[in-house]
Amino acid sequence: MPATPDTGTTAWWRTAAIYQIYLRSFADGDGDGVGDLAGLRSRLPYLRRLGVDALWLTPWYVSPMADAGYDVADYRDIDPVFGDLDQATAFLAEAHAHGLRVIIDLVPNHCSDRHPWFQAALADPAAPERDRFWFQPGRGEHGELPPNDWQGYFGGPAWTRTSHGDWYLHMFTPEQPDLNWESPAVRAEFEDILRFWFDLGVDGMRIDVAHGLTKKPGLPDVGPEPDPTDLPYQDTDGVHEIYRAWRRISDSYDGERVFVGEVWLPTPEQYIRYLRPDELHSAFNFDFLCGAFTAPALRKVIDETLAVHRTVDAPPTWVLSNHDTIRHVTRYGREDTTFSVSDRRHGAPSDPDLGLRRARAAALLTFALPGGVYVYQGDELGLPEVEDIPVDQLQDPTWPRSGFTDRGRDGCRVPLPWSADSPPFGFSADGAAQPWLPQPAGWKALTVEAQSADPDSTLSLYRAALALRRRFAALPGELVWLDADGLSAAEGVVAFRRGDLTCVVNLSARPVALPPGDLLLASGPIEDGRLPADTCAWLVGVTDN
Ligand code: GLC
């Protein structure tokens, strides 16, 4: 049994800084141009030095990679492109020895079309495996029309016809058939998969598409004017019983094993039900990620987040970017700083300097808020979205599935720049295969090596902030807004206190006077005691308004 981190068995997940490893783009240890476990293991000292508490790894299982590993063919083994089970076990022990917990990605909504169950179901219409998927007769005189009007998340119909004439459901690509959670075999299998990884020593599971596992009975049409709060393929009541069963399993292990849900839903009322005390421990705060980077919008989403999480005593989380979004350096440099998965606005004009200034301010803001925080690999380097990957090199299935209208998510998945003046920037050893996505030549100024040597770099800011955060993370959750003159949201400022920490973000166009206190850290230069626009400062030492 691998050693557990020396952080004890307290509820570490309530305040953790969790770093998202997009494995195929983090570090390549074997020179094939794709990141892997060997590369990750060699970079564990970097992660420890960065000051995060835990790692979340995107899927590492055996996969044909139709959706970068979110199409799993074997849930109990590692894809050879990433390594093998022995390396995964060694990695867990090494991460723990560095004081880092490890969360892996569980993909229960669908598997790969190469999964043995789906292969058996496709081969024989009488196979018992059929009930584990959604096979349905088509509509129309000869069954030539899909069984209902559902569209997949990546575009196109959510159904594909089989050689037997019937259809199967896939809310993502045709290579990702949806599992049928009404099947007891599916439930038993995933409970066993959970135990397999918990036994191996993982500290938690991120649950992919957590809102989508169960479907409304009868698979009714969505209709011409769908109600986004009542869709037949998401947030149906049956999903909660699954998580209650899983919670009983995680609770039966020592060491505070946790679930974090990818819960994308339109209302906080729907979302928060997943975080009731006997369900998931936490979830990603996509309302915060998607919102505008303005003082009134931030204040509103922070207030709503704190209020809704308080109702179930779950920790809020703060997330700025992940492997499915436009990187926030680019979003925040745009005129409209909001984000929507249905319209990524690729190529919208973005001011890179403004975006980076705001991204640095946003980091300090999120690190000062109560709860857990996520850092997506490359956030700490201030990486922008790569918007000019040649279309013949795009890998994301979103591109073909959208009829070549949405470039998809490759621009936030470009391999990290570690060192040197030219690609592969230390991502792979010199002389290795080209990285699986091309890196911009301009990233030579953004490498870990270049930024480590610069005390004003974004990497240095993250290191300083995460080290200080350890002091503040465990502060009581109460956040007190500072509404003194010049510090209100109406004036473009977000300012609050937690214990003796004061956090001020200036999103107005003019400099504002800093409130009292000793300056601890700022996301940009302070001019004559005044906080410039798009800058955040942390101060200590004053405990009353
Ligand atoms: C989640 C993942 C995304 C993946 C999809 C299908 O949204 O984050 O990357 O494509 O699920 O598994």
Side-chain angles (χ1 to χ4, degrees):
M1 178 79 180
T4 44
D6 56 10
T7 38
T9 55
T10 53
W12 61 275
W13 44 277
R14 289 189 164 270
T15 56
I18 301 176
Y19 185 93
Q20 179 187 352
I21 303 277
Y22 193 72
L23 196 51
R24 58 192 303 112
S25 299
F26 186 70
D28 170 20
D30 67 2
D32 64 356
V34 180
D36 50 33
L37 282 169
L40 171 56
R41 289 169 66 189
S42 75
R43 299 291 184 181
L44 283 170
Y46 169 77
L47 296 165
R48 183 196 187 123
R49 164 90 178 80
L50 182 60
V52 292
D53 305 302
L55 311 176
W56 150 38
L57 272 68
T58 47
W60 57 4
Y61 315 101
V62 176
S63 166
M65 305 286 168
D67 183 18
Y70 284 96
D71 48 318
V72 181
D74 181 350
Y75 287 87
R76 294 182 186 78
D77 205 352
I78 306 292
D79 195 276
V81 82
F82 298 133
D84 58 27
L85 213 45
D86 285 343
Q87 288 192 46
T89 310
F91 156 70
L92 286 171
E94 289 164 9
H96 288 165
H98 280 91
L100 295 163
R101 309 241 179 195
V102 177
I103 294 172
I104 63 169
D105 210 317
L106 187 69
V107 189
N109 180 69
H110 44 263
C111 60
S112 161
D113 64 343
R114 312 307 299 175
H115 190 286
W117 285 5
F118 193 71
Q119 288 289 301
L122 264 194
D124 175 6
E129 287 84 357
R130 282 226 142 201
D131 293 347
R132 302 172 192 177
F133 299 93
W134 292 103
F135 287 94
Q136 298 281 306
R139 297 204 275 210
E141 202 178 335
H142 307 289
E144 72 280 10
L145 299 173
N148 67 25
D149 64 356
W150 298 2
Q151 294 288 299
Y153 290 109
F154 295 147
W159 296 91
T160 289
R161 201 166 191 191
T162 74
S163 59
H164 302 292
D166 58 356
W167 300 71
Y168 69 89
L169 176 68
H170 52 84
M171 292 308 299
F172 294 88
T173 70
E175 292 82 13
Q176 294 165 292
D178 274 48
L179 289 157
N180 182 344
W181 278 85
E182 285 168 23
S183 155
V186 170
R187 291 181 187 240
E189 173 71 354
F190 274 86
E191 293 184 7
D192 194 68
I193 292 166
L194 287 182
R195 290 199 172 89
F196 177 86
W197 291 106
F198 283 147
D199 286 345
L200 217 69
V202 308
D203 301 286
M205 301 269 180
R206 177 258 188 191
I207 300 163
D208 191 57
V209 200
H211 50 273
L213 274 48
T214 53
K215 316 291 191 263
K216 200 173 263 184
L219 312 182
D221 279 341
V222 166
E225 283 178 31
D227 170 0
T229 66
D230 186 24
L231 293 171
Y233 49 78
Q234 65 180 35
D235 193 38
T236 63
D237 289 342
V239 78
H240 296 284
E241 182 45 40
I242 297 170
Y243 300 134
R244 283 192 278 268
W246 290 9
R247 182 65 180 255
R248 288 192 288 275
I249 294 174
S250 68
D251 281 351
S252 74
Y253 283 81
D254 61 7
E256 299 273 333
R257 316 296 177 100
V258 299
F259 296 112
V260 49
E262 187 204 22
V263 183
W264 281 101
L265 286 171
T267 69
E269 293 73 26
Q270 291 175 284
Y271 160 93
I272 203 64
R273 284 203 292 268
Y274 292 72
L275 302 187
R276 288 176 290 195
D278 59 347
E279 297 194 38
L280 307 181
H281 299 74
S282 70
F284 300 101
N285 185 351
F286 293 124
D287 286 347
F288 181 78
L289 185 155
C290 292
F293 198 62
T294 63
L298 285 168
R299 172 129 177 196
K300 182 163 181 282
V301 73
I302 292 168
D303 268 337
E304 285 174 0
T305 297
L306 296 178
V308 77
H309 285 80
R310 216 174 281 131
T311 62
V312 291
D313 190 30
T317 64
W318 311 99
V319 48
L320 291 164
S321 284
N322 69 24
H323 66 294
D324 294 327
T325 66
I326 298 280
R327 281 193 179 271
H328 59 280
V329 167
T330 299
R331 287 189 343 251
Y332 289 170
R334 293 173 173 174
E335 192 177 341
D336 177 349
T337 50
T338 62
F339 174 73
S340 156
V341 268
S342 58
D343 181 9
R344 296 164 195 277
R345 301 200 300 278
H346 291 289
S350 174
D351 174 341
D353 296 335
L354 176 64
L356 183 59
R357 269 204 312 281
R358 287 181 172 166
R360 292 168 58 108
L364 289 203
L365 167 65
T366 56
F367 294 169
L369 289 167
V373 70
Y374 284 85
V375 176
Y376 174 45
Q377 68 179 40
D379 286 358
E380 79 279 21
L381 304 178
L383 295 188
E385 184 81 3
V386 181
E387 305 225 78
D388 58 356
I389 300 173
V391 291
D392 62 352
Q393 293 185 51
L394 291 176
Q395 308 277 334
D396 184 355
T398 305
W399 176 236
R401 295 291 299 167
S402 67
F404 307 102
T405 58
D406 181 348
R407 298 171 64 90
R409 304 161 293 179
D410 289 325
C412 65
R413 298 175 174 181
V414 172
L416 288 193
W418 290 93
S419 56
D421 288 335
S422 58
F425 295 121
F427 169 70
S428 306
D430 284 344
Q434 290 297 312
W436 71 281
L437 286 172
Q439 300 159 304
W443 278 14
K444 72 176 181 195
L446 297 178
T447 63
V448 169
E449 185 180 49
Q451 296 201 39
S452 294
D454 174 2
D456 296 326
S457 69
T458 303
L459 178 58
S460 297
L461 178 72
Y462 267 71
R463 285 175 170 163
L466 285 164
L468 285 169
R469 186 180 182 275
R470 291 227 154 119
R471 246 168 84 189
F472 300 117
L475 287 176
E478 288 312 310
L479 172 156
V480 181
W481 293 111
L482 298 182
D483 281 325
D485 276 355
L487 295 179
S488 69
E491 291 160 295
V493 180
V494 175
F496 60 86
R497 242 189 29 231
R498 289 184 61 219
D500 67 347
L501 172 70
T502 299
C503 175
V504 195
V505 193
N506 179 12
L507 296 169
S508 74
R510 49 174 177 81
V512 298
L514 282 173
D518 297 329
L519 185 66
L520 259 188
L521 189 63
S523 65
I526 301 290
E527 292 152 11
D528 299 331
R530 286 147 71 81
L531 187 65
D534 303 304
T535 308
C536 178
W538 287 359
L539 304 102
V540 278
V542 174
T543 50
D544 54 346
N545 260 323

